[in-house]
Amino acid sequence: MNVYDGERMAEIMADQGLTATDDANAADLVVLNTCHIREKATEKVYSDIGRLRKHGADPLIAVAGCVAQAEGAEIVRRAKVDVVVGPQAYHNLPDLVARAARGEAALDTDMPVDLKFGHLPPRRRVAPSAFLTVQEGCDKFCTYCVVPYTRGAEVSRGWVQVVDEAKALVDAGAKEITLLGQNVNAWDDDGRGLHDLIAALADIAGLHRIRYTTSHPNDMAQGLIEAHRDIEKLMPFLHLPVQSGSDRILKAMNRSHTRDSYLRLLDRVRAVRPDIALSGDFIVGFPGETEADFAETLSLVDAVGHSQAFSFKYSPRPGTPAAGMADQVAAEVMDERLQRLQAALNRDQAAFNAASVGRRCTVLMERKGKLPGQLIGKSPWLQSVHVIGEAAIGDLVDVGITAAGPNSVTGTILEQPHGSEDEVFKRARLDVAA
Ligand code: 5AD
Ligand code: SF4
């Protein structure tokens, strides 16, 4: 979501006549869009500010995002910054920058109920795979997590607004849209759920692929599960964080699902879409996690067989219930558990990639690779696919997967680029079924 927010802030400032530069020394304004989820991300902001101020140039510095929201005026006390703007207030960036340029205080961490989106400029040019925020905030209050405090309560953007922005993204060059939200599958508008929205977006000609992230297990409605069977354009990939495989720890985390309810949910998804690629998030070293709890996480990993996943050491966040819990786990123990978990996840990712050798699928070409003539795109299962051949960025190309590595696969182009994914995709599904 910070990528999406960053694009939007760049668009707002472009409307003010600013152009983007890769050279921080040449910049009049540097916007640091920040993350508060773990301590390391937060501390990075201060080292980045220090580095920027060390250079000869003296740009205006704006701190945006969740660190701005959480720390507010404290940032101005700790570092020399000119603007502090929270994730729900960045539509006011031009005004804040103007105030800062006049030497006035410029801090806005309001969370207005009327969403910022109505105040943002239209989308003009985007990458073939574009993000679209449809939902923000979280009411789940997992005991380790700052998101409910920094992004605020769960809010859905309205149906018409989302459909209009999706059409604008397609007009601006998007072939694939990833719908974003901290709890994207909690999206609703007057009783209509995410699957209804996906069905409507699938009717947009020129939009070939739809994805969504991140989902909460408890908001995984039957309609959304069935959308994975019924809507061709919805890609066979599901990122569904589980965090731990131990019921005791899940309870302490306030996750409101169990190991078993999570696994049964995945069974239901796999029943309608056998080739679905599964991803997740894991935390090791939550307060009180024993070796036996951690063993449960490893056995859950074995049971699922993820195509990819993210794993983190628990990081105590100020103001969250878990930060004050007894039995904080020692750093060395966390390090060692993270290593074992990542070894298991890497093993499964490599196995997933290896199993896709021989598959045929469409790949959306997203960027140039390092080798001459090489392009990198994504398979329906969100694998990075390296191809050498006659294709351009933004093409959907029919590819046969020929080799697999730990983090990506290699393919050869089977046909010239074409506009419609549906036919090829149907064939790919038949191939997989066979
Ligand atoms: N410490 C470590 N990881 C965290 N996450 C959220 N809060 C914390 C924390 N305090 C992880 C969760 C979540 C992902 C976005 O970040 O796994 O799903
Ligand atoms: Fe944080 Fe996700 Fe839990 Fe919400 S559901 S509190 S965003 S981990």
Side-chain angles (χ1 to χ4, degrees):
M1 191 173 284
N2 270 8
V3 172
Y4 176 86
D5 290 341
E7 286 172 3
R8 301 303 262 147
M9 285 190 269
E11 287 167 349
I12 303 170
M13 295 318 290
D15 265 16
Q16 304 291 312
L18 275 78
T19 49
T21 173
D22 290 333
D23 178 6
N25 285 317
D28 299 306
L29 168 72
V30 175
V31 181
L32 296 168
N33 194 22
T34 62
C35 177
H36 197 54
I37 198 101
R38 281 169 293 275
E39 190 181 357
K40 213 162 141 193
T42 303
E43 286 309 311
K44 194 169 175 299
V45 181
Y46 292 101
S47 54
D48 283 349
I49 296 170
R51 203 166 318 122
L52 282 166
R53 287 292 180 222
K54 236 192 252 159
H55 286 260
D58 199 24
L60 288 178
I61 297 182
V63 177
C66 289
V67 177
Q69 190 65 40
E71 302 199 348
E74 180 63 28
I75 302 176
V76 184
R77 275 190 287 275
R78 250 184 95 174
K80 192 172 166 286
V81 306
D82 305 286
V83 174
V84 176
V85 60
Q88 307 307 356
Y90 65 68
H91 53 288
N92 293 328
L93 196 55
D95 180 45
L96 291 163
V97 169
R99 271 196 265 160
R102 292 195 299 268
E104 296 167 19
L107 183 141
D108 189 346
T109 52
D110 284 352
M111 292 194 171
V113 259
D114 67 320
L115 285 170
K116 62 190 171 247
F117 298 103
H119 306 275
L120 302 178
R123 311 302 310 255
R124 297 212 176 85
R125 234 185 100 230
V126 295
S129 177
F131 288 130
L132 168 50
T133 294
V134 302
Q135 184 278 340
E136 274 199 61
C138 182
D139 299 337
K140 304 288 191 290
F141 290 94
C142 300
T143 52
Y144 51 80
C145 184
V146 287
V147 168
Y149 312 98
T150 57
R151 284 271 172 183
E154 287 181 12
V155 183
S156 297
R157 288 178 75 187
W159 178 279
V160 174
Q161 229 191 36
V162 172
V163 173
D164 283 353
E165 189 170 330
K167 286 180 182 159
L169 285 170
V170 172
D171 289 343
K175 298 272 176 66
E176 170 179 282
I177 292 179
T178 301
L179 305 175
L180 299 179
Q182 274 81 41
N183 283 282
V184 71
N185 57 343
W187 182 91
D188 93 303
D189 184 1
D190 222 6
R192 288 181 291 189
L194 188 68
H195 53 285
D196 300 308
L197 182 65
I198 291 170
L201 298 182
D203 285 338
I204 300 175
L207 177 61
H208 296 270
R209 297 171 149 199
I210 302 168
R211 303 180 185 275
Y212 60 94
T213 198
T214 289
S215 297
H216 191 282
N218 285 13
D219 292 318
M220 207 64 213
Q222 185 60 23
L224 184 56
I225 295 177
E226 286 169 8
H228 279 284
R229 177 191 64 204
D230 300 333
I231 301 177
E232 293 286 345
K233 290 182 182 179
L234 181 59
M235 292 294 102
F237 183 90
L238 176 62
H239 178 68
L240 197 66
V242 61
Q243 315 296 358
S244 169
S246 152
D247 281 339
R248 214 175 60 81
I249 295 298
L250 288 171
K251 193 150 188 273
M253 287 176 162
N254 190 31
R255 284 293 293 178
S256 60
H257 61 79
T258 62
R259 170 198 178 88
D260 190 51
S261 70
Y262 179 84
L263 289 172
R264 276 187 287 125
L265 179 56
L266 293 189
D267 286 344
R268 282 164 54 212
V269 178
R270 277 185 162 141
V272 302
R273 188 71 213 227
D275 71 320
I276 197 146
L278 296 167
S279 165
D281 288 346
F282 294 87
I283 296 175
V284 300
F286 183 83
E289 185 188 76
T290 62
E291 180 57 31
D293 293 315
F294 178 65
E296 295 269 287
T297 298
L298 288 179
S299 81
L300 180 132
V301 166
D302 290 347
V304 174
H306 297 82
S307 66
Q308 58 169 72
F310 302 95
S311 47
F312 313 101
K313 283 185 273 188
Y314 167 71
S315 169
R317 308 308 292 128
T320 59
M325 287 179 185
D327 297 329
Q328 299 280 326
V329 173
E332 318 78 77
V333 176
M334 283 204 242
D335 282 336
E336 192 265 339
R337 286 184 191 160
L338 187 69
Q339 272 186 28
R340 279 193 283 159
L341 176 59
Q342 290 186 341
L345 293 169
N346 291 343
R347 170 203 69 199
D348 290 351
Q349 181 168 347
F352 185 89
N353 287 342
S356 59
V357 174
R359 272 184 180 181
R360 178 183 179 141
C361 63
T362 37
V363 173
L364 175 59
M365 296 304 177
E366 292 182 11
R367 60 193 167 93
K368 287 200 165 113
K370 285 200 191 104
L371 303 176
Q374 189 187 47
L375 286 171
I376 303 176
K378 291 274 163 48
S379 76
W381 307 281
L382 208 69
Q383 297 153 293
S384 285
V385 187
H386 296 232
V387 224
I388 292 182
E390 289 296 306
I393 290 169
D395 284 344
L396 282 154
V397 184
D398 192 6
V399 165
I401 298 177
T402 52
N407 302 311
S408 63
V409 295
T410 306
T412 49
I413 296 180
L414 300 176
E415 273 174 18
Q416 288 302 307
H418 55 86
S420 160
E421 180 162 54
D422 297 3
E423 273 309 302
V424 180
F425 193 62
K426 259 181 215 142
R427 263 184 281 134
R429 287 177 71 172
L430 291 176
D431 288 351
V432 170

